[in-house]
């Protein structure tokens, strides 16, 4: 099956029962697959009138008590950003898949890129933390979509699956395990007296329990700066407290959220840093380089946001160079440079998008660096 | 109000009676209740409430027919009426 | 009354809507004479007397003065982004069809930035009750021209008068497929409450336009004190059943038609989805 279909199947396996979508190349197949499959499992699919409506309906779906998601690509991702902020501010679990295509603007709609990575981090206005995963294969998109749902439920926050046209449209073998081998998490449920319930009073892990609409908690959910009760409070102190809570629940759980995969770092003189489809390029390049006698390692970012800053900083202490491989003009490259903080040389292998990076391009850079 | 004739059953009709309650500190002084009371029993008070508005006060409590119009036109949840026993007949 | 009984009785009874409002947040932010409070109270009374399970009843608002309504109702309530109350409500309803979802928002929110969502929710006959407080301008931001501002009216962004024509909202709702459409002013609060109650109990997409004054931002620039606006609602409106839908412009230089304009039945979005997409084998 294709990556897009595997994504939809992963969502279903994770317990997603509401999808609000809008067609956009190259993410349409996710909506198509969900439109067929969701009613079969008792869920609901709706094609909304635009991407803004799609994400708004997903937030509504989440508060109705369902695991909810949408899938889009660059232009739709841009349109969704304001409501992503609402999702972050109101601590609404949901999953947004971005099957990245070439931008800016309409760009190359049918061709892949990885140029929305910074938008994923900073796309909505204001300060906030976000979780973004980057799968590199159809099989992995299946599992990462499940992980995305689990993280979003565990931390009550929107989670992005930042895939790309190449992974989305590539047909690969996907093994779907039996349901009992899939771990599905749910948002923490409130206990105790309903009239004393505080919607944003953090429990374990800094995350507050979340009731659904209709359960009798009379919640007030607002995108205004609010207190623990959820009531708007227009003060500097309330803003600081709310932001502290929103940031801490992510920052204090980095060990649980941040996932990386290391290849040959032990003796590496140069380390490739990559994610998504470019991770496959990088892995191939690493093996070629090692075969040619170059001491090259590879750090794959499974979670791109929060950024594995400590990991990169530690590597920067001991390697000759860090080479970021990504289909853009340098986005995660900037983060790598920031984390390396001048302790090692940082290089980018990237281009303006439309095709994968070939391992040869990486080898060429490695030769220059070594 | 003038009728061109007195209704035949006028003696047997019991006119409902109400008691107006005002939550003064909620009032913002728009005057809707005063202006649109069908029995014109309300007026602005001389005094100010905590917010600095003149709340309404009941001038003629015996005139209230518990129609609730002040209650439903009030944008502030500041005035309402409840059913009350009819005032003692004046001698 | 015996003295002991008098002692146990509360000195002052509670306001009849006390249980439905977040009284710890009252006074609300609305200006003196603003019509939103009255329309909001009508909506609450309608909800309270509708016989619906209030635990399963939610209010969704967008942004703006009317958008603050969700913050004052003591039910599950959602204050969303500008213009997006209807799609949020759509997700809420689709995710749990047992919920009764009432959208309460303003004309700017629902018909300018959110206009697209309104017509599509009406088209697909989403089972929502949409109450629009139409105060003819953007109040929260200080009185700018809206999609409902009358021709030639003055606002901060039309200092020489509005050069554009406003929407006829009931016509728009009717053309989009709404199954219930009514219009009242806050002065007609009894009729308004009855219609909201009817709309909440009715399945399908219901739309109620409520004309209410914005004395501070609209009234001030158009030489209308709030009491004058209400007098206008009294003198220059006419209640008409079965009017021509294109005769429903809000133009107080002529008469403004009020009433219940549409009340029909057609299958809701959820009914059609269940019949069409959930084919049981």
């Amino acid at each position: 099956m294709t990556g897009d279909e595997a994504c939809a199947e992963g969502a279903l396996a994770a317990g997603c029962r509401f999808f609000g979508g809008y067609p956009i190349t190259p993410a349409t197949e996710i909506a198509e697959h969900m439109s067929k499959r969701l009613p079969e499992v008792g869920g609901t699919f709706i094609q909304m009138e635009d991407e803004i409506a799609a994400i708004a309906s997903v937030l509504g779906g989440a508060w109705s008590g369902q695991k909810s998601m949408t899938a889009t690509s660059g232009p739709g991702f841009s349109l969704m950003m304001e409501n992503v902020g609402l999702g972050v501010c109101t601590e609404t679990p949901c999953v947004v898949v971005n099957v990245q295509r070439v931008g800016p603007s309409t760009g190359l709609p049918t061709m892949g890129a990885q140029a929305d990575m910074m938008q994923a981090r900073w796309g909505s206005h204001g300060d906030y933390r976000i979780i973004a995963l980057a799968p590199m294969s159809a099989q992995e998109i299946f599992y990462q979509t499940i992980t995305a749902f689990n993280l979003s439920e565990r931390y009550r926050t929107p989670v992005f699956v930042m895939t790309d046209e190449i992974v989305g449209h590539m047909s690969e073998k996907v093994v779907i395990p039996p349901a009992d081998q899939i771990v599905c998490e749910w948002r923490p449920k409130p206990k105790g007296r309903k009239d004393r319930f505080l919607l944003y009073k953090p429990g374990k892990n800094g995350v507050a329990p979340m009731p659904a609409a209709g359960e009798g908690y009379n919640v007030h959910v607002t995108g205004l700066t609010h207190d623990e009760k959820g009531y708007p409070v227009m003060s500097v102190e309330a803003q600081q407290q709310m932001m502290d809570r929103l940031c801490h629940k992510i920052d204090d759980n980095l060990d649980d959220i941040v996932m990386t995969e290391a290849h040959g770092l032990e003796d590496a003189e140069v380390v490739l840093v990559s994610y998504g489809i470019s991770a496959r390029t990088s892995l191939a390049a690493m093996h070629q380089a090692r075969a040619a006698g170059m001491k090259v390692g590879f750090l794959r970012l499974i979670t791109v946001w929060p950024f594995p800053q400590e990991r990169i900083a530690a590597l920067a202490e001991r390697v000759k160079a860090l080479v970021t491989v990504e289909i853009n003009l340098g986005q995660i490259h900037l983060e790598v440079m920031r984390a390396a903080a001048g302790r090692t040389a940082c290089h980018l292998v990237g281009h303006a998008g439309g095709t994968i990076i070939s391992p040869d391009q990486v080898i060429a850079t490695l030769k220059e660096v070594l | 109000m003038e009728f061109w004739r007195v209704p035949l059953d006028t003696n047997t009709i019991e006119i409902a009676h109400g008691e107006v309650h005002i939550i003064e500190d909620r009032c913002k002084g728009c005057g809707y209740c005063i202006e649109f009371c069908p029995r014109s029993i309300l007026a602005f008070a001389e005094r100010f409430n905590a917010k600095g508005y003149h709340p309404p006060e009941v001038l003629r409590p015996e005139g209230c027919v518990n129609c609730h119009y002040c209650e439903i036109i009030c944008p502030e949840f500041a005035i309402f009426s409840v059913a009350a026993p009819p005032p003692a007949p004046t001698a | 009354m015996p003295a002991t009984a008098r002692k146990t009785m509360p000195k002052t009874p509670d306001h009849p809507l006390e249980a439905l409002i977040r009284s710890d947040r009252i006074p609300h932010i609305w200006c003196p004479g603003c019509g939103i409070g009255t329309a909001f109270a009508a909506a609450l009374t309608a909800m309270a007397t509708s016989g619906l399970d209030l635990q399963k009843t939610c209010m969704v608002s967008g942004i703006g003065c009317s958008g603050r309504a969700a913050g004052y109702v003591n039910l599950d309530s959602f204050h969303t982004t500008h213009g997006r109350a209807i799609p949020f409500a759509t997700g809420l309803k689709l995710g749990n069809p047992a919920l009764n979802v009432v959208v309460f928002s303003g004309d700017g929110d629902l018909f300018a930035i959110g206009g697209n969502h309104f017509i599509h929710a009406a088209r697909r006959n989403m089972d929502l009750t949409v109450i629009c407080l139409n105060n003819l301008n953007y109040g929260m931001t200080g009185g700018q021209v809206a999609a409902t501002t009358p021709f030639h009216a003055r606002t901060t962004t039309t200092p020489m008068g509005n050069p554009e024509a406003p929407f006829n909202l009931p016509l728009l709702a009717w053309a989009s497929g709404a199954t219930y459409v009514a219009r009242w002013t806050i002065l007609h609060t009894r009729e308004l409450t009855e219609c909201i109650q009817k709309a909440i109990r009715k399945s399908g997409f219901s739309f109620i336009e409520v004309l209410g004054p914005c004395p501070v931002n609209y009234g001030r620039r158009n030489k209308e004190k709030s009491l004058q606006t209400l007098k206008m609602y009294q003198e220059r409106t006419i209640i008409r059943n079965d009017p021509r839908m294109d005769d429903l412009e809000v133009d107080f230089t002529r008469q403004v038609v009020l009433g219940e304009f549409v009340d029909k039945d057609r299958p809701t979005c959820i009914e059609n989805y269940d019949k069409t997409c959930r084919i049981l084998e």
Side-chain angles (χ1 to χ4, degrees):
Chain A
M1 71 175 59
T2 65
D4 280 352
E5 287 162 344
C7 175
E9 284 300 327
L12 294 166
C16 172
R17 291 298 177 265
F18 180 77
F19 187 101
Y22 189 79
I24 187 166
T25 303
T28 307
E29 292 86 346
I30 301 176
E32 287 174 340
H33 199 73
M34 290 300 258
S35 73
K36 185 161 82 66
R37 292 278 285 121
L38 266 173
E40 290 175 1
V41 298
T44 303
F45 169 89
I46 187 167
Q47 182 173 314
M48 296 298 283
E49 51 273 15
D50 56 32
E51 285 94 343
I52 303 173
I55 180 77
S57 74
V58 164
L59 298 178
W63 280 99
S64 81
Q66 303 287 359
K67 289 187 183 176
S68 304
M69 82 180 288
T70 187
T72 189
S73 188
F77 200 54
S78 295
L79 286 177
M80 287 182 183
M81 277 304 155
E82 186 194 6
N83 282 280
V84 167
L86 179 66
V88 170
C89 185
T90 57
E91 305 185 44
T92 306
C94 61
V95 171
V96 178
V97 181
N98 180 353
V99 188
Q100 294 171 88
R101 69 189 216 185
V102 177
S105 190
T106 313
L108 298 171
T110 60
M111 297 156 98
Q114 295 179 300
D116 303 347
M117 300 310 295
M118 278 297 176
Q119 187 186 17
R121 176 65 190 86
W122 298 109
S124 199
H125 56 280
D127 277 313
Y128 59 97
R129 300 289 188 264
I130 200 81
I131 300 175
L133 310 176
M136 68 171 189
S137 67
Q139 180 68 65
E140 201 178 62
I141 200 171
F142 174 85
Y143 280 119
Q144 283 199 12
T145 305
I146 298 171
T147 305
F149 271 103
N150 286 344
L151 289 171
S152 87
E153 295 285 321
R154 199 182 308 157
Y155 293 106
R156 267 188 77 177
T157 184
V159 173
F160 294 142
V161 178
M162 298 297 290
T163 182
D164 54 76
E165 186 274 336
I166 302 147
V167 174
H169 279 169
M170 190 160 42
S171 279
E172 290 185 290
K173 185 178 157 187
V174 175
V175 178
I176 297 180
D180 59 8
Q181 288 174 24
I182 294 171
V183 178
C184 286
E185 289 182 40
W186 279 93
R187 58 202 75 168
K189 277 285 168 196
K191 298 183 193 92
R193 279 181 60 167
K194 289 183 179 180
D195 56 337
R196 289 194 191 155
F197 173 68
L198 294 171
L199 185 57
Y200 297 108
K201 188 178 168 57
K204 207 173 62 170
N205 283 351
V207 184
M210 177 176 169
E215 290 181 344
Y217 288 90
N218 290 349
V219 295
H220 180 55
V221 177
T222 178
L224 286 167
T225 294
H226 46 260
D227 59 16
E228 285 189 341
K229 197 169 181 187
Y231 283 6
V233 181
M234 302 296 102
S235 77
V236 176
E237 295 74 24
Q239 165 68 6
Q240 189 65 48
Q241 277 170 20
M242 184 182 83
M243 290 311 298
D244 283 348
R245 195 174 67 242
L246 288 180
C247 294
H248 275 304
K249 73 177 179 182
I250 305 296
D251 294 347
D252 295 349
N253 292 293
L254 291 180
D255 289 345
D256 183 49
I257 300 169
V258 176
M259 293 170 283
T260 56
E261 192 179 271
H263 298 269
L265 294 185
E266 302 75 24
D267 61 342
E269 289 174 8
V270 175
V271 170
L272 301 172
V273 179
S274 192
Y275 55 92
I277 187 64
S278 297
R280 289 167 83 151
T281 299
S282 305
L283 205 55
M286 183 196 86
H287 288 305
Q288 283 177 31
R290 284 207 168 248
M294 293 186 264
K295 286 188 173 166
V296 175
F298 170 42
L299 182 71
R300 179 160 84 97
L301 313 183
I302 298 172
T303 317
V304 176
W305 304 115
F307 188 72
Q309 164 137 350
E310 302 297 323
R311 200 78 210 265
I312 299 288
L315 282 174
E317 293 284 354
R318 62 176 175 88
V319 300
K320 220 164 137 187
L322 292 167
V323 178
T324 307
V325 184
E326 55 182 347
I327 310 175
N328 60 45
L329 298 179
Q331 295 193 8
I332 297 305
H333 171 57
L334 294 176
E335 277 296 290
V336 172
M337 286 204 293
R338 189 181 60 77
R343 283 168 289 198
T344 188
C346 294
H347 300 269
L348 168 71
V349 181
H351 62 71
T355 183
I356 56 165
I357 296 164
S358 84
D360 296 344
Q361 288 170 273
V362 182
I363 297 286
T365 302
L366 285 174
K367 280 180 178 160
E368 282 171 32
V369 173
L370 284 164
Chain B
M1 203 180 291
E2 284 183 23
F3 299 98
W4 66 273
R5 69 167 172 82
V6 177
L8 296 173
D9 56 352
T10 190
N11 293 328
T12 61
I13 290 177
E14 266 188 44
I15 298 170
H17 185 67
E19 187 180 40
V20 178
H21 293 272
I22 298 165
I23 307 169
E24 286 198 2
D25 284 342
R26 285 186 181 177
C27 178
K28 292 178 191 160
C30 68
Y32 290 171
C33 54
I34 298 166
E35 180 68 28
F36 293 102
C37 170
R39 304 291 299 242
S40 304
I41 68 161
L42 299 166
F44 282 114
E46 284 287 313
R47 64 185 174 281
F48 294 98
N49 68 7
K51 287 201 294 270
Y53 297 105
H54 293 287
E57 63 184 1
V58 186
L59 280 191
R60 296 188 299 108
E62 73 284 359
C64 178
V65 292
N66 201 27
C67 75
H68 297 287
Y69 195 76
C70 57
E71 176 183 318
I72 59 180
I73 193 72
C74 175
E76 307 290 337
F77 306 97
I79 186 170
F80 59 98
S81 66
V82 293
T90 44
Chain C
M1 196 186 297
T4 46
R6 188 171 295 162
K7 250 183 206 166
T8 55
M9 266 181 55
K11 204 176 164 199
T12 315
D14 277 341
H15 190 282
L17 290 172
E18 205 67 23
L20 259 186
I21 54 177
R22 297 185 192 269
S23 47
D24 48 346
R25 298 203 61 227
I26 301 290
H28 50 60
I29 62 161
W30 301 316
C31 305
C34 170
I36 301 171
T38 305
F40 178 58
L44 295 188
T45 305
M47 287 158 111
T49 55
S50 63
L52 295 178
D53 179 0
L54 290 180
Q55 186 176 315
K56 298 277 181 211
T57 306
C58 315
M59 188 179 275
V60 184
S61 292
I63 295 294
C65 293
S66 301
R68 292 301 187 98
Y72 300 117
V73 59
N74 195 21
L75 298 174
D76 286 327
S77 50
F78 302 91
H79 180 219
T80 64
T81 43
H82 196 17
R84 318 305 168 198
I86 288 178
F88 187 100
T90 297
L92 204 56
K93 180 73 186 175
L94 288 174
N96 182 1
L99 298 172
N100 313 301
V101 184
V102 177
V103 173
F104 189 105
S105 214
D107 48 300
D109 186 74
L110 287 167
F111 290 99
I113 188 167
N116 195 29
H117 309 309
F118 180 88
I119 59 174
H120 283 276
R123 170 185 63 77
R124 53 172 77 101
N125 202 20
M126 266 314 301
D127 197 354
L128 304 173
T129 302
V130 177
I131 302 165
C132 173
L133 189 289
N134 182 1
N135 59 11
L136 311 178
N137 78 136
Y138 285 87
M140 180 68 90
T141 44
Q144 291 73 40
V145 70
T148 47
T149 305
F151 186 53
H152 280 173
R154 283 175 199 273
T155 70
T156 64
T157 48
T158 54
M160 276 83 81
N162 180 18
E164 297 178 16
F167 266 134
N168 169 344
L169 298 180
L171 174 66
L172 179 69
W174 169 78
S176 308
T179 53
Y180 186 86
V181 180
R183 172 198 278 155
W184 296 103
T185 78
I186 61 151
L187 189 73
H188 301 79
T189 174
R190 259 185 238 284
E191 294 89 339
L192 171 65
T193 306
E194 272 170 37
C195 281
I196 296 175
Q197 193 194 85
K198 199 165 165 183
I200 295 174
R201 293 160 65 120
K202 191 178 161 72
S203 65
F205 188 87
S206 304
F207 170 60
I208 291 154
E209 177 183 7
V210 192
L211 294 169
C214 173
V216 172
N217 284 315
Y218 184 84
R220 185 160 49 101
R221 296 190 177 88
N222 292 283
K223 301 193 171 66
E224 267 180 49
K225 295 219 161 105
S226 56
L227 274 173
Q228 290 171 315
T229 309
L230 263 64
K231 291 273 183 204
M232 206 166 69
Y233 291 167
Q234 197 171 23
E235 289 158 10
R236 284 190 234 158
T237 56
I238 182 163
I239 299 169
R240 210 172 268 163
N241 295 319
D242 236 357
R244 281 174 51 123
M245 294 305 290
D246 59 357
D247 202 26
L248 301 178
E249 307 284 351
V250 176
D251 178 2
F252 279 102
T253 62
R254 303 186 306 144
Q255 267 188 325
V256 173
V257 181
L258 308 177
E260 199 178 41
F261 306 136
V262 179
D263 185 3
K264 63 181 179 190
D265 288 302
R266 69 187 177 98
T268 65
C269 179
I270 292 175
E271 286 164 0
N272 278 334
Y273 185 80
D274 287 348
K275 266 190 224 151
T276 314
C277 306
R278 295 189 207 280
I279 300 159
L280 300 170
E281 287 174 20

